[in-house]
């Protein structure tokens, strides 16, 4: 990460997740934000609006909107949210091709203008897009990561707190695996002020929380009818940026390149990571039950299928 007096954060994609991530970064005064999109006027308009909120929300960092990638020059952290959601009639391969091309193009710009940045990918399908970004950026693995586990574990924390009627702040949890139906929520590592939820809730309630966590994105899509979740996803990305920019060494679940950890090699999957100024400073290996290990392998196999899809369409 490049050091500078006020850090610089580039948010690429000024849609729902990107603009909200920019807003959180400003509110947390993590640094000056450059909001980038291909749509003319969109990042400029949102950036100006967010800057004008500064005097009321009491931040002095700035937000600039641009369609010119050279404006991300020297960014310390880049958050990538550019991409399309899956539309009706679109196959998984269609989405891979569309978003894969977007990510590949953006990585060329990041490589050119922000070669020292820590890059946080948010675009779906997450674990496959972060792998593609890693290949295209050719940055060290510690500086490329995906945001999904922060979101999935935040959802699980919220559901546990709702069920027990306790503060969400007291709940900690860990969700491994890919961002999707095959994610692996870990009740044995879910606690309320240190007390495992297995001691506080019956198994059927825990199972229901796990199922709701897995369906967390779908539940919001069904409610919204058009569009998908963005407040919590953006909060997850900003949380990761905070850990990096403030060198917090926070233990957060992130999609990280596995090189033998958890018996997996050469793919990005959600695992507990210590995040600091070097990006992913450590991957923490938890002891898993056989069922959890099988579930993680199943999740990894799905990611591998996505990577094979990228090869099939010539993006790798
Ligand atoms: N990882 C997660 O947990 C998670 C959670 C929520 C959403 N997502 C994903 O994040 C992505 C964005 O979601 P959203 O709700 O913000 O969508 P959105 O449609 O609101 O915004 C996407 C933006 O990307 C822009 N864009 C497209 N191509 C671009 C390019 N080449 N350069 C710059 N900008 C470009 C579009 O113009 C648009 O403004 C989607 O892929 C979505 O599936 C991931």
């Amino acid at each position: 990460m490049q050091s500078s007096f006020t850090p610089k954060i580039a948010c690429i994609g000024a849609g729902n997740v990107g603009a909200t991530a920019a807003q959180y970064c400003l509110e947390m005064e993590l640094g000056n934000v450059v909001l980038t999109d291909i749509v003319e006027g969109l990042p400029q308009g949102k950036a100006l609006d967010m800057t004008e909120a500064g005097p009321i929300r009491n931040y002095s960092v700035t937000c600039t909107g641009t369609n010119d990638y050279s404006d991300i020059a020297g960014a310390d952290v880049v958050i990538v949210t550019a991409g399309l959601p899956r539309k009706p009639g679109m196959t998984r391969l269609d989405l891979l091709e569309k978003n894969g091309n977007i990510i590949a193009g953006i990585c060329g710009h990041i490589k050119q203008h922000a070669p020292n940045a820590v890059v946080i990918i948010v675009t779906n399908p997450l674990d496959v897009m972060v792998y593609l970004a890693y290949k295209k950026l050719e940055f060290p693995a510690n500086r490329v990561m995906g945001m999904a586990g922060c979101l999935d574990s935040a959802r699980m924390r919220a559901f546990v707190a709702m069920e027990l009627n306790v503060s969400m702040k007291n709940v900690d949890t860990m969700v491994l695996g890919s961002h999707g139906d095959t994610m692996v929520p870990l009740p044995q590592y879910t606690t309320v002020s240190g007390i495992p939820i297995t001691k506080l809730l019956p198994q059927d309630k825990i199972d229901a929380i796990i199922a709701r966590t897995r369906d967390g994105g779908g539940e919001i899509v069904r409610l919204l009818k058009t569009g998908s979740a963005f407040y919590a996803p953006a909060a997850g990305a900003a949380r990761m940026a905070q850990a990096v920019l403030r060198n917090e060494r926070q233990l957060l679940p992130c999609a990280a390149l596995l090189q033998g950890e958890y018996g997996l090699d050469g793919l990005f999957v959600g695992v507990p990571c210590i995040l600091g100024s070097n990006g992913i400073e450590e991957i923490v290996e938890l002891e898993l039950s056989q069922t959890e290990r099988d579930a993680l392998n199943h999740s990894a196999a799905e990611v591998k299928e996505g990577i094979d899809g990228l090869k099939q369409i010539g993006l790798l």
Side-chain angles (χ1 to χ4, degrees), residues 258-271:
L258 298 183
Q259 297 171 94
E261 299 89 346
Y262 291 94
L264 297 166
D265 197 35
L267 74 173
F268 281 76
V269 177
V271 287

Side-chain angles (χ1 to χ4, degrees), residues 12-19 36-39 42 46 69 80-86 95 99 101-103 105-106 109 121-127 129 146-149 151-152 155 179 227-230 232-234:
I12 303 186
N16 280 339
V17 182
T36 314
D37 203 287
I38 42 167
V39 179
L42 179 78
K46 289 190 178 184
Y69 279 103
V80 182
T81 66
L84 309 176
R86 188 162 157 192
L95 183 69
N99 284 355
N101 277 306
I102 291 172
I103 293 296
I106 287 170
H109 296 296
I121 304 289
V122 182
T123 305
N124 276 324
L126 191 271
D127 308 86
M129 289 301 118
M147 192 298 298
L151 168 65
D152 298 328
R155 284 179 173 150
H179 182 51
S228 54
F230 57 96

Side-chain angles (χ1 to χ4, degrees), residues 51-193:
T51 299
E52 290 165 359
I56 305 170
R57 299 298 301 159
N58 204 27
Y59 51 78
S60 53
V61 283
T62 60
C63 190
T64 319
T66 183
N67 308 113
D68 179 353
Y69 279 103
S70 67
D71 291 329
I72 72 167
D76 298 290
V77 165
V78 179
I79 300 174
V80 182
T81 66
L84 309 176
R86 188 162 157 192
K87 299 200 176 113
M90 221 177 177
T91 64
R92 284 175 92 87
L93 218 55
D94 292 338
L95 183 69
L96 269 185
E97 189 164 13
K98 291 261 185 251
N99 284 355
N101 277 306
I102 291 172
I103 293 296
I106 287 170
C107 287
H109 296 296
I110 299 174
K111 208 172 157 175
Q112 184 183 354
H113 299 292
N116 298 316
V118 168
V119 180
I120 302 169
I121 304 289
V122 182
T123 305
N124 276 324
L126 191 271
D127 308 86
V128 185
M129 289 301 118
V130 67
Y131 180 86
L132 177 64
Y134 169 66
K135 288 289 180 191
K136 296 293 175 193
L137 287 166
E138 296 179 307
F139 286 3
N142 59 297
R143 288 203 281 120
V144 186
M145 63 196 79
M147 192 298 298
C150 277
L151 168 65
D152 298 328
S153 61
R155 284 179 173 150
M156 188 160 167
R157 287 172 69 186
F159 300 149
V160 169
M162 286 177 206
E163 185 58 44
L164 288 166
N165 194 19
V166 296
S167 166
M168 290 191 273
K169 290 184 187 173
N170 285 159
V171 184
D172 264 320
T173 187
M174 187 48 66
V175 178
L176 308 184
S178 79
H179 182 51
D181 303 341
T182 62
M183 72 177 74
V184 189
L186 298 177
Q188 65 155 323
Y189 293 111
T190 303
T191 59
V192 182
S193 289

